[in-house]
Amino acid sequence: MTVLFHCPYCGTTVKEEESYCIKCGKNLPDDMHIRLSISRRSKKVWLLPIAIIILLALSTGGFYLFLDHQTTDAKEFYFNGLKSAQKGNYEQARNEFKKAYEQKENFPQALNAIEFTGIAMKVQNKIDDAAKELAKQEYQEALNLINETESALKNYNGSVVKKLINEIVLTRNTILIEQVKNKLQTDPEISELKPILWEVESVNSSEAEKIATNIRNQIVDYTYSMASEQLKVHHFSDAEELVSEGLIYAPESKKLISLQTAINSERVAFETAQQRRIESAITTAEMERKQNKNEAVELVNVKLMNNDQGKLVVVGKVKSVATIPINTVLVEYDLLTKKGKKFKSNEVYVYPDTLYPDEIGEFEFTHFDIDNKADELKVDVTKIKWYTES
């Protein structure tokens, strides 16, 4: 069996006859036992680095195992926080996110989640406060609280944020609907219903749509009734204006659209008839003008008689067939012999001075210069003249 000798200083293998170590250069001991025992010691020296390496490896592995364990716990706390946040338990979620961050400080998601849940708790508190104000019918205060919540969430997104925003929208819609219901209980005028309609139409819900439909029906019924009254008295522009305004609030109302068509038809028919009436009136007026100018008076009768003194008297009556008052009616006549020979002309005014349509006027003239008997002469009315007031 071969015996190996080693340098007791560096552990290098040496030969029995060598006095110096070929590696470190030191004197080798003469005692060979020392050279032999050194070989075992050198093994321990070589084992030391290996042991240190193994120890470091074990330590590093343990450290990473420790870090891995921390990460696992942090993730578990984080996902527990997400579950609580999705259920609306923001305080509990915040506590879970804090635990996650304590387990793993280099965890920005957990830090952001802690910040968000703090804001979410404030938002939820405002929503709860708004509900309390709503219960007291303090609608504007409730809306103010809700409006304050939206800006707080503008920098966040995700399912939890969406759920919170949906709750904000639902709360606002509830407040607006309750506010509208409260206003409708006071039986508002039509002019007050119109702005209420705009309010309720801004709410996206089936209940709001029912309320809006009811309000629109009230506006339509009122508009139809008022416009129909204006149509009866031929106030077409007023009727059309009412219908046009009503269609702003109920643009698809068949009732108002039909009435609008009727107004236009009635307007055309009335204006056509009106034009015909005007044309007829013009024609009639021209005829009347000619009549009043040329044929306004007709002779009812005229005769000769002698008065108590034996003087010849001409008496008669005329009638106004004019359409307007006439005045200063003058009757011209001739006195004739039995043979028809004219021997005197004269004129006499009718009284009263003004004759109204269908009124009878009289005239009378005594000839003091004529001694003839009435039965010896004849009278012939040759002309009647008059004046009109226009």
Side-chain angles (χ1 to χ4, degrees), residues 133-134 137-144 171-186 188 195-196 198-200 202-203 207 211 215:
E133 294 297 326
L134 175 60
Q137 296 186 346
E138 297 293 343
Y139 304 108
Q140 194 55 53
E141 287 76 1
L143 286 173
N144 290 340
T171 304
R172 177 188 286 108
N173 290 349
T174 302
I175 295 169
L176 290 172
I177 289 174
E178 291 302 317
Q179 186 177 34
V180 167
K181 286 181 178 179
N182 183 263
K183 290 179 180 179
L184 293 176
Q185 287 178 354
T186 62
I196 293 176
W198 297 132
E199 289 181 30
V200 76
S202 67
V203 179
E207 185 177 9
I211 295 173
I215 294 175

PDB file of all heavy atoms in Angstrom, residues 133-134 137-144 171-186 188 195-196 198-200 202-203 207 211 215:
ATOM      1  N   GLU A 133     -80.278  62.197   4.371  1.00  0.00           N
ATOM      2  CA  GLU A 133     -80.871  63.470   3.952  1.00  0.00           C
ATOM      3  C   GLU A 133     -82.114  63.224   3.108  1.00  0.00           C
ATOM      4  O   GLU A 133     -83.091  63.959   3.199  1.00  0.00           O
ATOM      5  CB  GLU A 133     -79.844  64.290   3.153  1.00  0.00           C
ATOM      6  CG  GLU A 133     -78.645  64.760   3.954  1.00  0.00           C
ATOM      7  CD  GLU A 133     -79.046  65.700   5.078  1.00  0.00           C
ATOM      8  OE1 GLU A 133     -80.008  66.465   4.910  1.00  0.00           O
ATOM      9  OE2 GLU A 133     -78.403  65.655   6.145  1.00  0.00           O
ATOM     10  N   LEU A 134     -82.063  62.183   2.288  1.00  0.00           N
ATOM     11  CA  LEU A 134     -83.228  61.835   1.468  1.00  0.00           C
ATOM     12  C   LEU A 134     -84.412  61.464   2.351  1.00  0.00           C
ATOM     13  O   LEU A 134     -85.555  61.854   2.066  1.00  0.00           O
ATOM     14  CB  LEU A 134     -82.874  60.669   0.531  1.00  0.00           C
ATOM     15  CG  LEU A 134     -84.029  60.104  -0.308  1.00  0.00           C
ATOM     16  CD1 LEU A 134     -84.628  61.174  -1.209  1.00  0.00           C
ATOM     17  CD2 LEU A 134     -83.542  58.922  -1.144  1.00  0.00           C
ATOM     18  N   GLN A 137     -86.235  64.297   3.349  1.00  0.00           N
ATOM     19  CA  GLN A 137     -86.711  65.068   2.190  1.00  0.00           C
ATOM     20  C   GLN A 137     -85.863  66.308   1.933  1.00  0.00           C
ATOM     21  O   GLN A 137     -86.318  67.288   1.339  1.00  0.00           O
ATOM     22  CB  GLN A 137     -88.195  65.461   2.345  1.00  0.00           C
ATOM     23  CG  GLN A 137     -89.128  64.271   2.380  1.00  0.00           C
ATOM     24  CD  GLN A 137     -90.584  64.667   2.388  1.00  0.00           C
ATOM     25  OE1 GLN A 137     -90.938  65.823   2.631  1.00  0.00           O
ATOM     26  NE2 GLN A 137     -91.455  63.717   2.109  1.00  0.00           N
ATOM     27  N   GLU A 138     -84.612  66.237   2.341  1.00  0.00           N
ATOM     28  CA  GLU A 138     -83.659  67.310   2.044  1.00  0.00           C
ATOM     29  C   GLU A 138     -82.941  66.932   0.747  1.00  0.00           C
ATOM     30  O   GLU A 138     -81.788  66.491   0.739  1.00  0.00           O
ATOM     31  CB  GLU A 138     -82.661  67.474   3.197  1.00  0.00           C
ATOM     32  CG  GLU A 138     -83.286  67.893   4.512  1.00  0.00           C
ATOM     33  CD  GLU A 138     -83.848  69.315   4.449  1.00  0.00           C
ATOM     34  OE1 GLU A 138     -83.461  70.057   3.522  1.00  0.00           O
ATOM     35  OE2 GLU A 138     -84.657  69.674   5.320  1.00  0.00           O
ATOM     36  N   TYR A 139     -83.652  67.105  -0.368  1.00  0.00           N
ATOM     37  CA  TYR A 139     -83.182  66.573  -1.642  1.00  0.00           C
ATOM     38  C   TYR A 139     -81.899  67.245  -2.135  1.00  0.00           C
ATOM     39  O   TYR A 139     -80.985  66.565  -2.615  1.00  0.00           O
ATOM     40  CB  TYR A 139     -84.287  66.713  -2.695  1.00  0.00           C
ATOM     41  CG  TYR A 139     -85.569  66.049  -2.281  1.00  0.00           C
ATOM     42  CD1 TYR A 139     -86.682  66.802  -1.917  1.00  0.00           C
ATOM     43  CD2 TYR A 139     -85.667  64.653  -2.226  1.00  0.00           C
ATOM     44  CE1 TYR A 139     -87.859  66.199  -1.519  1.00  0.00           C
ATOM     45  CE2 TYR A 139     -86.842  64.037  -1.839  1.00  0.00           C
ATOM     46  CZ  TYR A 139     -87.940  64.817  -1.480  1.00  0.00           C
ATOM     47  OH  TYR A 139     -89.109  64.221  -1.084  1.00  0.00           O
ATOM     48  N   GLN A 140     -81.832  68.554  -2.039  1.00  0.00           N
ATOM     49  CA  GLN A 140     -80.665  69.251  -2.547  1.00  0.00           C
ATOM     50  C   GLN A 140     -79.410  68.918  -1.747  1.00  0.00           C
ATOM     51  O   GLN A 140     -78.325  68.736  -2.315  1.00  0.00           O
ATOM     52  CB  GLN A 140     -80.904  70.771  -2.531  1.00  0.00           C
ATOM     53  CG  GLN A 140     -79.885  71.553  -3.345  1.00  0.00           C
ATOM     54  CD  GLN A 140     -79.784  71.064  -4.780  1.00  0.00           C
ATOM     55  OE1 GLN A 140     -80.767  70.963  -5.488  1.00  0.00           O
ATOM     56  NE2 GLN A 140     -78.577  70.725  -5.207  1.00  0.00           N
ATOM     57  N   GLU A 141     -79.568  68.816  -0.437  1.00  0.00           N
ATOM     58  CA  GLU A 141     -78.428  68.441   0.405  1.00  0.00           C
ATOM     59  C   GLU A 141     -77.941  67.039   0.048  1.00  0.00           C
ATOM     60  O   GLU A 141     -76.732  66.768  -0.008  1.00  0.00           O
ATOM     61  CB  GLU A 141     -78.807  68.504   1.883  1.00  0.00           C
ATOM     62  CG  GLU A 141     -78.956  69.908   2.450  1.00  0.00           C
ATOM     63  CD  GLU A 141     -80.258  70.584   2.038  1.00  0.00           C
ATOM     64  OE1 GLU A 141     -81.049  69.946   1.313  1.00  0.00           O
ATOM     65  OE2 GLU A 141     -80.466  71.745   2.416  1.00  0.00           O
ATOM     66  N   ALA A 142     -78.890  66.149  -0.203  1.00  0.00           N
ATOM     67  CA  ALA A 142     -78.534  64.778  -0.583  1.00  0.00           C
ATOM     68  C   ALA A 142     -77.786  64.760  -1.916  1.00  0.00           C
ATOM     69  O   ALA A 142     -76.777  64.062  -2.078  1.00  0.00           O
ATOM     70  CB  ALA A 142     -79.790  63.920  -0.671  1.00  0.00           C
ATOM     71  N   LEU A 143     -78.265  65.558  -2.880  1.00  0.00           N
ATOM     72  CA  LEU A 143     -77.599  65.609  -4.184  1.00  0.00           C
ATOM     73  C   LEU A 143     -76.199  66.214  -4.073  1.00  0.00           C
ATOM     74  O   LEU A 143     -75.269  65.771  -4.755  1.00  0.00           O
ATOM     75  CB  LEU A 143     -78.451  66.438  -5.161  1.00  0.00           C
ATOM     76  CG  LEU A 143     -79.729  65.759  -5.674  1.00  0.00           C
ATOM     77  CD1 LEU A 143     -80.553  66.733  -6.493  1.00  0.00           C
ATOM     78  CD2 LEU A 143     -79.388  64.526  -6.507  1.00  0.00           C
ATOM     79  N   ASN A 144     -76.058  67.205  -3.224  1.00  0.00           N
ATOM     80  CA  ASN A 144     -74.732  67.815  -3.033  1.00  0.00           C
ATOM     81  C   ASN A 144     -73.729  66.794  -2.512  1.00  0.00           C
ATOM     82  O   ASN A 144     -72.565  66.761  -2.946  1.00  0.00           O
ATOM     83  CB  ASN A 144     -74.830  68.992  -2.053  1.00  0.00           C
ATOM     84  CG  ASN A 144     -75.575  70.173  -2.657  1.00  0.00           C
ATOM     85  OD1 ASN A 144     -75.696  70.280  -3.869  1.00  0.00           O
ATOM     86  ND2 ASN A 144     -76.088  71.046  -1.808  1.00  0.00           N
ATOM     87  N   THR A 171     -78.099  55.874  -6.282  1.00  0.00           N
ATOM     88  CA  THR A 171     -78.523  56.767  -5.197  1.00  0.00           C
ATOM     89  C   THR A 171     -78.987  58.106  -5.754  1.00  0.00           C
ATOM     90  O   THR A 171     -80.019  58.646  -5.324  1.00  0.00           O
ATOM     91  CB  THR A 171     -77.370  56.991  -4.206  1.00  0.00           C
ATOM     92  OG1 THR A 171     -76.922  55.729  -3.717  1.00  0.00           O
ATOM     93  CG2 THR A 171     -77.828  57.845  -3.035  1.00  0.00           C
ATOM     94  N   ARG A 172     -78.218  58.650  -6.716  1.00  0.00           N
ATOM     95  CA  ARG A 172     -78.624  59.928  -7.318  1.00  0.00           C
ATOM     96  C   ARG A 172     -79.989  59.797  -8.014  1.00  0.00           C
ATOM     97  O   ARG A 172     -80.850  60.667  -7.866  1.00  0.00           O
ATOM     98  CB  ARG A 172     -77.583  60.398  -8.324  1.00  0.00           C
ATOM     99  CG  ARG A 172     -78.015  61.693  -9.031  1.00  0.00           C
ATOM    100  CD  ARG A 172     -77.112  62.111 -10.162  1.00  0.00           C
ATOM    101  NE  ARG A 172     -75.870  62.648  -9.684  1.00  0.00           N
ATOM    102  CZ  ARG A 172     -74.709  62.043  -9.772  1.00  0.00           C
ATOM    103  NH1 ARG A 172     -74.640  60.837 -10.317  1.00  0.00           N
ATOM    104  NH2 ARG A 172     -73.608  62.592  -9.320  1.00  0.00           N
ATOM    105  N   ASN A 173     -80.161  58.727  -8.776  1.00  0.00           N
ATOM    106  CA  ASN A 173     -81.438  58.518  -9.462  1.00  0.00           C
ATOM    107  C   ASN A 173     -82.595  58.426  -8.471  1.00  0.00           C
ATOM    108  O   ASN A 173     -83.678  58.978  -8.700  1.00  0.00           O
ATOM    109  CB  ASN A 173     -81.381  57.256 -10.317  1.00  0.00           C
ATOM    110  CG  ASN A 173     -80.480  57.425 -11.526  1.00  0.00           C
ATOM    111  OD1 ASN A 173     -80.062  58.538 -11.839  1.00  0.00           O
ATOM    112  ND2 ASN A 173     -80.180  56.337 -12.203  1.00  0.00           N
ATOM    113  N   THR A 174     -82.357  57.731  -7.377  1.00  0.00           N
ATOM    114  CA  THR A 174     -83.388  57.601  -6.345  1.00  0.00           C
ATOM    115  C   THR A 174     -83.751  58.961  -5.769  1.00  0.00           C
ATOM    116  O   THR A 174     -84.939  59.288  -5.578  1.00  0.00           O
ATOM    117  CB  THR A 174     -82.908  56.667  -5.220  1.00  0.00           C
ATOM    118  OG1 THR A 174     -82.589  55.389  -5.766  1.00  0.00           O
ATOM    119  CG2 THR A 174     -83.983  56.510  -4.156  1.00  0.00           C
ATOM    120  N   ILE A 175     -82.740  59.775  -5.503  1.00  0.00           N
ATOM    121  CA  ILE A 175     -82.977  61.118  -4.954  1.00  0.00           C
ATOM    122  C   ILE A 175     -83.794  61.956  -5.944  1.00  0.00           C
ATOM    123  O   ILE A 175     -84.781  62.604  -5.571  1.00  0.00           O
ATOM    124  CB  ILE A 175     -81.645  61.819  -4.630  1.00  0.00           C
ATOM    125  CG1 ILE A 175     -80.915  61.079  -3.510  1.00  0.00           C
ATOM    126  CG2 ILE A 175     -81.890  63.276  -4.218  1.00  0.00           C
ATOM    127  CD1 ILE A 175     -79.476  61.545  -3.312  1.00  0.00           C
ATOM    128  N   LEU A 176     -83.384  61.929  -7.222  1.00  0.00           N
ATOM    129  CA  LEU A 176     -84.079  62.730  -8.241  1.00  0.00           C
ATOM    130  C   LEU A 176     -85.525  62.287  -8.412  1.00  0.00           C
ATOM    131  O   LEU A 176     -86.430  63.125  -8.524  1.00  0.00           O
ATOM    132  CB  LEU A 176     -83.332  62.624  -9.573  1.00  0.00           C
ATOM    133  CG  LEU A 176     -81.971  63.327  -9.631  1.00  0.00           C
ATOM    134  CD1 LEU A 176     -81.254  62.989 -10.932  1.00  0.00           C
ATOM    135  CD2 LEU A 176     -82.143  64.833  -9.493  1.00  0.00           C
ATOM    136  N   ILE A 177     -85.749  60.983  -8.413  1.00  0.00           N
ATOM    137  CA  ILE A 177     -87.119  60.472  -8.572  1.00  0.00           C
ATOM    138  C   ILE A 177     -87.981  60.875  -7.386  1.00  0.00           C
ATOM    139  O   ILE A 177     -89.131  61.317  -7.545  1.00  0.00           O
ATOM    140  CB  ILE A 177     -87.098  58.938  -8.737  1.00  0.00           C
ATOM    141  CG1 ILE A 177     -86.509  58.576 -10.111  1.00  0.00           C
ATOM    142  CG2 ILE A 177     -88.505  58.358  -8.611  1.00  0.00           C
ATOM    143  CD1 ILE A 177     -86.320  57.092 -10.317  1.00  0.00           C
ATOM    144  N   GLU A 178     -87.445  60.736  -6.180  1.00  0.00           N
ATOM    145  CA  GLU A 178     -88.207  61.121  -4.985  1.00  0.00           C
ATOM    146  C   GLU A 178     -88.486  62.625  -4.974  1.00  0.00           C
ATOM    147  O   GLU A 178     -89.550  63.069  -4.545  1.00  0.00           O
ATOM    148  CB  GLU A 178     -87.449  60.709  -3.726  1.00  0.00           C
ATOM    149  CG  GLU A 178     -87.368  59.214  -3.498  1.00  0.00           C
ATOM    150  CD  GLU A 178     -88.734  58.563  -3.412  1.00  0.00           C
ATOM    151  OE1 GLU A 178     -89.616  59.143  -2.755  1.00  0.00           O
ATOM    152  OE2 GLU A 178     -88.916  57.495  -4.018  1.00  0.00           O
ATOM    153  N   GLN A 179     -87.534  63.397  -5.463  1.00  0.00           N
ATOM    154  CA  GLN A 179     -87.731  64.852  -5.538  1.00  0.00           C
ATOM    155  C   GLN A 179     -88.859  65.188  -6.520  1.00  0.00           C
ATOM    156  O   GLN A 179     -89.704  66.045  -6.233  1.00  0.00           O
ATOM    157  CB  GLN A 179     -86.429  65.523  -5.989  1.00  0.00           C
ATOM    158  CG  GLN A 179     -86.483  67.046  -5.968  1.00  0.00           C
ATOM    159  CD  GLN A 179     -85.158  67.650  -6.351  1.00  0.00           C
ATOM    160  OE1 GLN A 179     -84.421  67.110  -7.173  1.00  0.00           O
ATOM    161  NE2 GLN A 179     -84.829  68.788  -5.772  1.00  0.00           N
ATOM    162  N   VAL A 180     -88.870  64.518  -7.655  1.00  0.00           N
ATOM    163  CA  VAL A 180     -89.918  64.740  -8.652  1.00  0.00           C
ATOM    164  C   VAL A 180     -91.279  64.325  -8.098  1.00  0.00           C
ATOM    165  O   VAL A 180     -92.280  65.026  -8.269  1.00  0.00           O
ATOM    166  CB  VAL A 180     -89.592  63.964  -9.946  1.00  0.00           C
ATOM    167  CG1 VAL A 180     -90.807  63.914 -10.866  1.00  0.00           C
ATOM    168  CG2 VAL A 180     -88.425  64.612 -10.670  1.00  0.00           C
ATOM    169  N   LYS A 181     -91.329  63.174  -7.444  1.00  0.00           N
ATOM    170  CA  LYS A 181     -92.588  62.711  -6.847  1.00  0.00           C
ATOM    171  C   LYS A 181     -93.121  63.732  -5.855  1.00  0.00           C
ATOM    172  O   LYS A 181     -94.331  64.001  -5.793  1.00  0.00           O
ATOM    173  CB  LYS A 181     -92.372  61.365  -6.139  1.00  0.00           C
ATOM    174  CG  LYS A 181     -92.225  60.180  -7.070  1.00  0.00           C
ATOM    175  CD  LYS A 181     -92.043  58.904  -6.246  1.00  0.00           C
ATOM    176  CE  LYS A 181     -91.939  57.674  -7.119  1.00  0.00           C
ATOM    177  NZ  LYS A 181     -91.740  56.447  -6.314  1.00  0.00           N
ATOM    178  N   ASN A 182     -92.229  64.295  -5.063  1.00  0.00           N
ATOM    179  CA  ASN A 182     -92.625  65.299  -4.077  1.00  0.00           C
ATOM    180  C   ASN A 182     -93.215  66.526  -4.763  1.00  0.00           C
ATOM    181  O   ASN A 182     -94.214  67.090  -4.307  1.00  0.00           O
ATOM    182  CB  ASN A 182     -91.412  65.686  -3.232  1.00  0.00           C
ATOM    183  CG  ASN A 182     -91.756  66.682  -2.136  1.00  0.00           C
ATOM    184  OD1 ASN A 182     -91.574  67.886  -2.301  1.00  0.00           O
ATOM    185  ND2 ASN A 182     -92.257  66.188  -1.022  1.00  0.00           N
ATOM    186  N   LYS A 183     -92.605  66.951  -5.872  1.00  0.00           N
ATOM    187  CA  LYS A 183     -93.119  68.106  -6.614  1.00  0.00           C
ATOM    188  C   LYS A 183     -94.488  67.811  -7.227  1.00  0.00           C
ATOM    189  O   LYS A 183     -95.371  68.677  -7.254  1.00  0.00           O
ATOM    190  CB  LYS A 183     -92.134  68.512  -7.706  1.00  0.00           C
ATOM    191  CG  LYS A 183     -90.849  69.124  -7.187  1.00  0.00           C
ATOM    192  CD  LYS A 183     -89.914  69.491  -8.335  1.00  0.00           C
ATOM    193  CE  LYS A 183     -88.629  70.116  -7.815  1.00  0.00           C
ATOM    194  NZ  LYS A 183     -87.684  70.451  -8.924  1.00  0.00           N
ATOM    195  N   LEU A 184     -94.669  66.595  -7.723  1.00  0.00           N
ATOM    196  CA  LEU A 184     -95.939  66.222  -8.364  1.00  0.00           C
ATOM    197  C   LEU A 184     -97.083  66.151  -7.357  1.00  0.00           C
ATOM    198  O   LEU A 184     -98.250  66.297  -7.743  1.00  0.00           O
ATOM    199  CB  LEU A 184     -95.785  64.884  -9.088  1.00  0.00           C
ATOM    200  CG  LEU A 184     -94.857  64.885 -10.311  1.00  0.00           C
ATOM    201  CD1 LEU A 184     -94.726  63.477 -10.874  1.00  0.00           C
ATOM    202  CD2 LEU A 184     -95.378  65.830 -11.374  1.00  0.00           C
ATOM    203  N   GLN A 185     -96.764  65.920  -6.098  1.00  0.00           N
ATOM    204  CA  GLN A 185     -97.812  65.863  -5.071  1.00  0.00           C
ATOM    205  C   GLN A 185     -98.478  67.218  -4.840  1.00  0.00           C
ATOM    206  O   GLN A 185     -99.582  67.281  -4.304  1.00  0.00           O
ATOM    207  CB  GLN A 185     -97.215  65.347  -3.762  1.00  0.00           C
ATOM    208  CG  GLN A 185     -96.887  63.851  -3.778  1.00  0.00           C
ATOM    209  CD  GLN A 185     -96.247  63.383  -2.488  1.00  0.00           C
ATOM    210  OE1 GLN A 185     -95.943  64.176  -1.599  1.00  0.00           O
ATOM    211  NE2 GLN A 185     -96.025  62.080  -2.370  1.00  0.00           N
ATOM    212  N   THR A 186     -97.817  68.303  -5.258  1.00  0.00           N
ATOM    213  CA  THR A 186     -98.372  69.647  -5.063  1.00  0.00           C
ATOM    214  C   THR A 186     -99.305  70.058  -6.207  1.00  0.00           C
ATOM    215  O   THR A 186     -99.750  71.195  -6.263  1.00  0.00           O
ATOM    216  CB  THR A 186     -97.238  70.677  -4.948  1.00  0.00           C
ATOM    217  OG1 THR A 186     -96.480  70.692  -6.167  1.00  0.00           O
ATOM    218  CG2 THR A 186     -96.313  70.329  -3.783  1.00  0.00           C
ATOM    219  N   PRO A 188     -98.791  70.587  -9.630  1.00  0.00           N
ATOM    220  CA  PRO A 188     -98.230  71.774 -10.279  1.00  0.00           C
ATOM    221  C   PRO A 188     -98.974  72.162 -11.558  1.00  0.00           C
ATOM    222  O   PRO A 188     -99.656  71.334 -12.180  1.00  0.00           O
ATOM    223  CB  PRO A 188     -96.794  71.339 -10.601  1.00  0.00           C
ATOM    224  CG  PRO A 188     -96.886  69.854 -10.718  1.00  0.00           C
ATOM    225  CD  PRO A 188     -97.919  69.424  -9.723  1.00  0.00           C
ATOM    226  N   PRO A 195     -90.426  71.911 -16.741  1.00  0.00           N
ATOM    227  CA  PRO A 195     -89.075  71.704 -16.203  1.00  0.00           C
ATOM    228  C   PRO A 195     -88.943  70.427 -15.388  1.00  0.00           C
ATOM    229  O   PRO A 195     -87.872  69.824 -15.335  1.00  0.00           O
ATOM    230  CB  PRO A 195     -88.843  72.952 -15.336  1.00  0.00           C
ATOM    231  CG  PRO A 195     -90.185  73.521 -15.060  1.00  0.00           C
ATOM    232  CD  PRO A 195     -91.022  73.160 -16.241  1.00  0.00           C
ATOM    233  N   ILE A 196     -90.041  69.998 -14.754  1.00  0.00           N
ATOM    234  CA  ILE A 196     -90.001  68.735 -14.006  1.00  0.00           C
ATOM    235  C   ILE A 196     -89.751  67.569 -14.967  1.00  0.00           C
ATOM    236  O   ILE A 196     -89.035  66.620 -14.646  1.00  0.00           O
ATOM    237  CB  ILE A 196     -91.312  68.527 -13.222  1.00  0.00           C
ATOM    238  CG1 ILE A 196     -91.439  69.580 -12.110  1.00  0.00           C
ATOM    239  CG2 ILE A 196     -91.375  67.126 -12.621  1.00  0.00           C
ATOM    240  CD1 ILE A 196     -92.738  69.508 -11.342  1.00  0.00           C
ATOM    241  N   TRP A 198     -87.996  67.673 -17.720  1.00  0.00           N
ATOM    242  CA  TRP A 198     -86.567  67.629 -18.054  1.00  0.00           C
ATOM    243  C   TRP A 198     -85.790  66.924 -16.941  1.00  0.00           C
ATOM    244  O   TRP A 198     -84.851  66.174 -17.212  1.00  0.00           O
ATOM    245  CB  TRP A 198     -86.012  69.047 -18.238  1.00  0.00           C
ATOM    246  CG  TRP A 198     -86.602  69.831 -19.372  1.00  0.00           C
ATOM    247  CD1 TRP A 198     -87.056  71.113 -19.329  1.00  0.00           C
ATOM    248  CD2 TRP A 198     -86.818  69.402 -20.727  1.00  0.00           C
ATOM    249  NE1 TRP A 198     -87.524  71.504 -20.563  1.00  0.00           N
ATOM    250  CE2 TRP A 198     -87.393  70.477 -21.438  1.00  0.00           C
ATOM    251  CE3 TRP A 198     -86.571  68.213 -21.400  1.00  0.00           C
ATOM    252  CZ2 TRP A 198     -87.716  70.389 -22.778  1.00  0.00           C
ATOM    253  CZ3 TRP A 198     -86.907  68.130 -22.754  1.00  0.00           C
ATOM    254  CH2 TRP A 198     -87.471  69.209 -23.417  1.00  0.00           C
ATOM    255  N   GLU A 199     -86.168  67.198 -15.697  1.00  0.00           N
ATOM    256  CA  GLU A 199     -85.462  66.586 -14.566  1.00  0.00           C
ATOM    257  C   GLU A 199     -85.580  65.065 -14.591  1.00  0.00           C
ATOM    258  O   GLU A 199     -84.585  64.347 -14.467  1.00  0.00           O
ATOM    259  CB  GLU A 199     -86.037  67.111 -13.244  1.00  0.00           C
ATOM    260  CG  GLU A 199     -85.693  68.566 -12.935  1.00  0.00           C
ATOM    261  CD  GLU A 199     -86.275  69.009 -11.607  1.00  0.00           C
ATOM    262  OE1 GLU A 199     -86.409  68.154 -10.715  1.00  0.00           O
ATOM    263  OE2 GLU A 199     -86.626  70.192 -11.469  1.00  0.00           O
ATOM    264  N   VAL A 200     -86.812  64.588 -14.751  1.00  0.00           N
ATOM    265  CA  VAL A 200     -87.029  63.143 -14.657  1.00  0.00           C
ATOM    266  C   VAL A 200     -86.475  62.417 -15.885  1.00  0.00           C
ATOM    267  O   VAL A 200     -86.076  61.257 -15.808  1.00  0.00           O
ATOM    268  CB  VAL A 200     -88.532  62.839 -14.461  1.00  0.00           C
ATOM    269  CG1 VAL A 200     -89.317  63.003 -15.752  1.00  0.00           C
ATOM    270  CG2 VAL A 200     -88.724  61.432 -13.918  1.00  0.00           C
ATOM    271  N   SER A 202     -83.707  62.970 -17.214  1.00  0.00           N
ATOM    272  CA  SER A 202     -82.260  62.800 -17.033  1.00  0.00           C
ATOM    273  C   SER A 202     -81.939  61.536 -16.241  1.00  0.00           C
ATOM    274  O   SER A 202     -80.775  61.147 -16.130  1.00  0.00           O
ATOM    275  CB  SER A 202     -81.680  64.023 -16.300  1.00  0.00           C
ATOM    276  OG  SER A 202     -82.159  64.095 -14.966  1.00  0.00           O
ATOM    277  N   VAL A 203     -82.963  60.900 -15.691  1.00  0.00           N
ATOM    278  CA  VAL A 203     -82.772  59.695 -14.878  1.00  0.00           C
ATOM    279  C   VAL A 203     -83.021  58.468 -15.751  1.00  0.00           C
ATOM    280  O   VAL A 203     -84.072  58.351 -16.388  1.00  0.00           O
ATOM    281  CB  VAL A 203     -83.725  59.684 -13.666  1.00  0.00           C
ATOM    282  CG1 VAL A 203     -83.524  58.421 -12.844  1.00  0.00           C
ATOM    283  CG2 VAL A 203     -83.512  60.925 -12.819  1.00  0.00           C
ATOM    284  N   GLU A 207     -88.806  53.425 -13.677  1.00  0.00           N
ATOM    285  CA  GLU A 207     -89.733  54.239 -12.883  1.00  0.00           C
ATOM    286  C   GLU A 207     -89.742  55.677 -13.374  1.00  0.00           C
ATOM    287  O   GLU A 207     -90.804  56.301 -13.500  1.00  0.00           O
ATOM    288  CB  GLU A 207     -89.363  54.196 -11.401  1.00  0.00           C
ATOM    289  CG  GLU A 207     -90.368  54.929 -10.506  1.00  0.00           C
ATOM    290  CD  GLU A 207     -90.017  54.824  -9.032  1.00  0.00           C
ATOM    291  OE1 GLU A 207     -88.922  54.336  -8.713  1.00  0.00           O
ATOM    292  OE2 GLU A 207     -90.855  55.233  -8.202  1.00  0.00           O
ATOM    293  N   ILE A 211     -92.925  57.966 -14.969  1.00  0.00           N
ATOM    294  CA  ILE A 211     -93.281  59.311 -14.500  1.00  0.00           C
ATOM    295  C   ILE A 211     -93.238  60.291 -15.670  1.00  0.00           C
ATOM    296  O   ILE A 211     -94.126  61.129 -15.831  1.00  0.00           O
ATOM    297  CB  ILE A 211     -92.326  59.763 -13.380  1.00  0.00           C
ATOM    298  CG1 ILE A 211     -92.497  58.868 -12.149  1.00  0.00           C
ATOM    299  CG2 ILE A 211     -92.584  61.218 -13.007  1.00  0.00           C
ATOM    300  CD1 ILE A 211     -91.488  59.133 -11.038  1.00  0.00           C
ATOM    301  N   ILE A 215     -96.264  62.649 -17.216  1.00  0.00           N
ATOM    302  CA  ILE A 215     -96.169  64.106 -17.348  1.00  0.00           C
ATOM    303  C   ILE A 215     -96.412  64.525 -18.797  1.00  0.00           C
ATOM    304  O   ILE A 215     -97.134  65.496 -19.071  1.00  0.00           O
ATOM    305  CB  ILE A 215     -94.791  64.607 -16.871  1.00  0.00           C
ATOM    306  CG1 ILE A 215     -94.650  64.375 -15.360  1.00  0.00           C
ATOM    307  CG2 ILE A 215     -94.607  66.085 -17.186  1.00  0.00           C
ATOM    308  CD1 ILE A 215     -93.277  64.726 -14.813  1.00  0.00           C
TER     309      ILE A 215
END
